[in-house]
Amino acid sequence: MKILVGGFLLLLALIGMPLFAVIAGSAMWNFHAADIDLSVMGIEIYRIAEMPILLAIPLFTFAGYVLSESGAPGRLVRFTRAFLGWMPGGLAIVALAACAFFTAFTGASGVTIIALGALLYPALNQAGYPERFNLGLITTSGSLGILFAPSLPLILYGVVAQQMSEGASISIDDLFIAGILPGLLMVVMLSAYALWVNRANRMPLEGFDWRRAKAALRECAWEIPLPFVVLGGIYGGFFAVSEAAAITAIYVIVAEVFILGEISWRRLPGIVRQSMILVGGVLIILGVSLASTNFLIYSGVPQKLFELIRGAVESPLGFLLLLNVFLLVLGAILDIFSALVLVVPLILPIAAQYGIHPVHLGIIFLANMQLGYSTPPVGLNLFIASYRFDRPITEIYMATLPYLGILLLSVLVITYVPALSLGLL
Amino acid sequence: MTRFFAGFARSVRWLEDGLLIGVFAAMLLLAGAQIVMRNFFDAGFAWIDPLLRVLVLWIAMLGAVTATREDRHISIDVLSRFAPPKFLPLLKRIIALATSLICGLLAWHTFRFVRDEYAWSDVEIAGLPVWIWQSILPLGFALMTWRFLFAVVFPARAEPGT
């Protein structure tokens, strides 16, 4: 009976049942089978209201959506262009840097491809880069930057890990720092690839020009302080992560609505709605997964899983390899948010027994999941790019393949060089 | 009768949107006020922090209700991308039915949870008994149940008049 219900839910999940319902269904079934009163579901979901850090999620997401609706994407492109455009292959690097920055704020929900891709893709084509190269570049860049603060997946990993309270405490602040070098590694490796592909045709976009740089700087005067407010405020000890989120949200409204006037008052409710659909979709999954996770721990699944793996894999290195393979497959099937809330509670205690630092594990997890965004057949970025640029999905598959290779390489480096994640802590 | 239903659906929609935007605005203002109080006057209000936390729950539920209305819940969605289009309405109906069943169960059991809290708990948040704040759980799941049931009947559209 148990297997039957489980299989049925899995089938429903595969044909597209909302994942929160799949998770809630399996949690309720398990509690029922263990003779636990189902009003426990209320207790578990209500735990959403007991985690102060969650406040940061709606506020940062809203700020990201406001930015993407304003003229900020265009200004960001002009800004990076003025400062990086003089390099050979400059525009490709501009695209990577701008996407990474933007995704950190919008949380890789496809907004980057839609808001920035629309500007960068024609510009890259115009500058004479091969079309397939551009298509792949924009598609993979759509999730580049989830390792940078204050990205939503980074915060969510911290939230889930804190719930586990296994040994070493893990703070969101640490995660924000740990993501910097691995994130930069990805940007640098992709940039190097872009330079190498276009080595025959080294086109500096334009010379560096002080006047243009100053104009771009002035134009971005309201957006440039943002990363400093967020990171500086948190690490300077001025405010907590959720306070930084509130300040960012208010700041963005003041700058884009009142000062720059790029978004009218009337559009704000619509932006709230659109961004809160994403937030609601993620948080409801978190809520019901608190219940299912609690059941898993209650029935000792992580420990059993650990003993199972222990039998097959002795060394931490072997475990990491297994983890990489597992996460790559997972990322190709599940979206990053569901994967986080479902799988992190299982692997965190196991990884801890192999001596892997929870912060490092988080960076490994997210880096792998980032690949999943562009992995065929169901990576989200592939569909968004196919839709946005009106190309058959198979063409997008082919175009992103070399980028996937580069990212895979960077994921391996991130996995096997813990110092990259932990060195700055 | 149809006009009555369309009117009713419109009012529900209006209420959901209004609540979502109102709760978000309140959250933003309260969080901002708290920062100002703490940093400039060295004295935050003790009631704001628990209120902010419970408002996040409200945002989660209301956002999920809106996601239901617009068919934008996070899902795996392999088959529906590759299945023949003529099966899609049927698949959507099956999914909607199963999901409405689960949401109905969640609504009922979270309602029992709130009823227990009403009977036994004397915790207050911002001066109101905690069960009032918790009641968004059954309310939200009930709304989702109704939305999914609706999608069983009309799989293509989210609701009439949109």
Side-chain angles (χ1 to χ4, degrees):
Chain A
M1 188 64 187
K2 197 167 182 170
I3 296 169
L4 205 70
V5 172
F8 187 59
L9 280 170
L10 189 67
L11 187 73
L12 284 170
L14 284 179
I15 62 174
M17 187 185 203
L19 283 167
F20 87 87
V22 177
I23 301 167
S26 84
M28 284 194 287
W29 172 255
N30 281 323
F31 279 127
H32 172 72
D35 268 334
I36 296 170
D37 189 304
L38 285 184
S39 64
V40 71
M41 293 304 288
I43 299 173
E44 295 288 350
I45 301 172
Y46 186 67
R47 278 166 61 199
I48 288 185
E50 286 160 2
M51 302 179 206
I53 180 69
L54 287 186
L55 179 60
I57 290 180
L59 295 174
F60 272 134
T61 309
F62 169 76
Y65 270 69
V66 172
L67 281 179
S68 69
E69 293 281 320
S70 71
R75 284 195 297 276
L76 181 62
V77 171
R78 283 193 290 279
F79 177 77
T80 21
R81 210 172 149 151
F83 284 89
L84 299 175
W86 53 270
M87 294 199 258
L91 191 59
I93 296 172
V94 166
L96 290 166
C99 285
F101 174 84
F102 202 69
T103 303
F105 273 89
T106 56
S109 45
V111 183
T112 307
I113 297 180
I114 291 170
L116 275 176
L119 298 167
L120 289 167
Y121 181 63
L124 283 162
N125 282 340
Q126 213 174 24
Y129 292 91
E131 200 174 332
R132 177 169 279 194
F133 168 86
N134 304 337
L135 214 48
L137 182 86
I138 297 297
T139 308
T140 17
S141 303
S143 52
L144 191 64
I146 58 172
L147 291 179
F148 293 131
S151 91
L152 181 52
L154 209 50
I155 296 176
L156 200 60
Y157 175 82
V159 169
V160 176
Q162 278 173 352
Q163 292 305 302
M164 305 292 300
S165 63
E166 281 274 333
S169 73
I170 168 167
S171 77
I172 311 268
D173 308 20
D174 284 349
L175 281 167
F176 280 5
I177 292 191
I180 295 175
L181 289 182
L184 280 177
L185 177 77
M186 285 183 160
V187 176
V188 168
M189 281 176 72
L190 287 174
S191 304
Y193 170 74
L195 289 184
W196 185 77
V197 167
N198 297 295
R199 64 197 176 283
N201 156 22
R202 42 179 72 233
M203 40 203 133
L205 201 55
E206 53 213 6
F208 185 78
D209 172 20
W210 264 114
R211 250 202 332 239
R212 200 166 38 222
K214 253 203 303 210
L217 199 63
R218 200 170 319 121
E219 202 187 33
C220 277
W222 291 102
E223 279 93 9
I224 291 169
L226 266 179
F228 298 101
V229 169
V230 173
L231 294 176
I234 293 171
Y235 296 115
F238 296 108
F239 32 76
V241 174
S242 55
E243 289 179 319
I247 290 174
T248 307
I250 293 171
Y251 179 95
V252 162
I253 292 181
V254 171
E256 311 295 335
V257 178
F258 291 106
I259 297 176
L260 297 171
E262 285 174 337
I263 294 179
S264 81
W265 257 116
R266 286 158 194 235
R267 282 175 59 206
L268 281 181
I271 298 176
V272 169
R273 248 176 59 101
Q274 287 309 310
S275 52
M276 290 313 115
I277 286 179
L278 174 68
V279 170
V282 171
L283 289 185
I284 191 93
I285 288 182
L286 175 68
V288 294
S289 76
L290 289 172
S292 72
T293 300
N294 226 352
F295 182 81
L296 285 181
I297 294 169
Y298 162 82
S299 48
V301 173
Q303 192 54 36
K304 284 178 203 154
L305 206 60
F306 172 64
E307 275 148 24
L308 196 73
I309 296 172
R310 182 105 245 197
V313 187
E314 275 293 322
S315 67
L317 220 61
F319 171 74
L320 283 176
L321 191 68
L322 192 68
L323 186 67
N324 267 332
V325 174
F326 169 70
L327 290 179
L328 286 177
V329 175
L330 186 75
I333 307 169
L334 267 187
D335 72 285
I336 194 164
F337 304 117
S338 320
L340 271 169
V341 298
L342 285 178
V343 178
V344 167
L346 284 178
I347 61 171
L348 196 70
I350 300 175
Q353 308 219 36
Y354 279 102
I356 293 155
H357 196 286
V359 169
H360 184 211
L361 180 74
I363 303 299
I364 297 175
F365 195 97
L366 296 181
N368 272 287
M369 285 294 132
Q370 184 185 329
L371 269 178
Y373 271 94
S374 316
T375 314
V378 288
L380 182 67
N381 282 352
L382 301 165
F383 287 103
I384 295 174
S386 158
Y387 170 76
R388 187 70 189 73
F389 303 118
D390 202 14
R391 287 306 163 82
I393 189 90
T394 41
E395 190 182 336
I396 310 269
Y397 288 169
M398 294 311 292
T400 40
L401 226 46
Y403 294 92
L404 269 179
I406 306 282
L407 282 179
L408 185 62
L409 207 64
S410 72
V411 165
L412 292 178
V413 175
I414 289 166
T415 307
Y416 298 105
V417 186
L420 209 55
S421 310
L422 304 176
L424 293 181
L425 291 187
Chain B
M1 197 63 186
T2 353
R3 265 183 59 191
F4 171 76
F5 261 120
F8 177 71
R10 201 161 44 234
S11 325
V12 172
R13 204 160 61 219
W14 197 85
L15 190 75
E16 286 170 5
D17 281 350
L19 259 178
L20 178 66
I21 288 152
V23 169
F24 183 84
M27 195 168 83
L28 192 62
L29 290 176
L30 285 169
Q34 186 78 325
I35 294 168
V36 171
M37 290 302 292
R38 224 173 248 154
N39 287 288
F40 295 100
F41 302 98
D42 231 3
F45 293 110
W47 55 272
I48 289 188
D49 285 335
L51 179 58
L52 279 173
R53 290 203 293 272
V54 88
L55 287 183
V56 172
L57 178 74
W58 279 63
I59 285 282
M61 293 306 294
L62 293 168
V65 169
T66 314
T68 306
R69 192 165 96 204
E70 303 203 350
D71 193 12
R72 281 178 52 195
H73 271 291
I74 296 174
S75 58
I76 294 185
D77 211 14
V78 189
L79 271 188
S80 65
R81 287 201 202 273
F82 298 104
K86 68 172 176 177
F87 291 129
L88 275 186
L90 179 67
L91 285 180
K92 288 214 162 215
R93 281 199 163 112
I94 295 173
I95 291 166
L97 187 64
T99 312
S100 68
L101 186 74
I102 288 175
C103 286
L105 281 172
L106 284 170
W108 168 242
H109 290 295
T110 51
F111 168 74
R112 289 179 47 237
F113 159 70
V114 174
R115 203 179 49 189
D116 288 352
E117 294 279 314
Y118 172 75
W120 303 110
S121 169
D122 49 10
V123 177
E124 288 190 352
I125 293 177
L128 290 174
V130 73
W131 68 268
I132 291 184
W133 299 107
Q134 291 168 335
S135 59
I136 189 66
L137 287 173
L139 186 70
F141 284 121
L143 281 169
M144 281 188 250
T145 310
W146 139 263
R147 296 268 173 219
F148 280 113
L149 275 179
F150 200 92
V152 177
V153 188
F154 304 102
R157 294 181 305 172
E159 66 176 35
T162 46

